[in-house]
Amino acid sequence: LEICGKFCPDKLVNEINCARSAIGLLYTILGKHSTALTYFEETRVSMEKCLPSNHPQLSILYTNIAFSYQQMNNHVEALKI
């Protein structure tokens, strides 16, 4: 959470985003990609409000979202990311 605190001015928002993303990654590891997507999308909406569009954390999140779509054989959605 220390690392996440440097991304957005609001510390609580950072911690929530970091936790959501971590939960999404855990669901990814478990192979529950649709559930992971829910967490990643919630994180994306929040992070896009407080980070510039070229921020590295957003690119990592977009990669996680695209990977989840790819694992669900939804390649069209993966390419949109």
Side-chain angles (χ1 to χ4, degrees):
L1 291 177
E2 279 182 40
I3 294 170
C4 291
K6 297 176 183 171
F7 302 135
C8 195
D10 186 333
K11 185 176 179 179
L12 179 60
V13 171
N14 285 322
E15 291 176 1
I16 292 169
N17 286 340
C18 193
R20 276 191 202 131
S21 187
I23 292 169
L25 287 171
L26 290 173
Y27 278 112
T28 298
I29 292 167
L30 294 172
K32 297 183 178 189
H33 301 288
S34 62
T35 305
L37 273 173
T38 301
Y39 286 95
F40 290 146
E41 288 294 340
E42 289 173 0
T43 305
R44 181 190 58 80
V45 169
S46 179
M47 288 177 84
E48 285 179 344
K49 290 179 183 175
C50 65
L51 296 175
S53 61
N54 63 347
H55 196 282
Q57 277 305 114
L58 281 172
S59 65
I60 293 168
L61 183 60
Y62 296 149
T63 300
N64 291 338
I65 293 170
F67 178 78
S68 292
Y69 279 124
Q70 180 186 16
Q71 292 302 303
M72 296 180 347
N73 290 320
N74 192 340
H75 303 291
V76 172
E77 287 300 316
L79 288 172
K80 287 180 183 179
I81 302 299

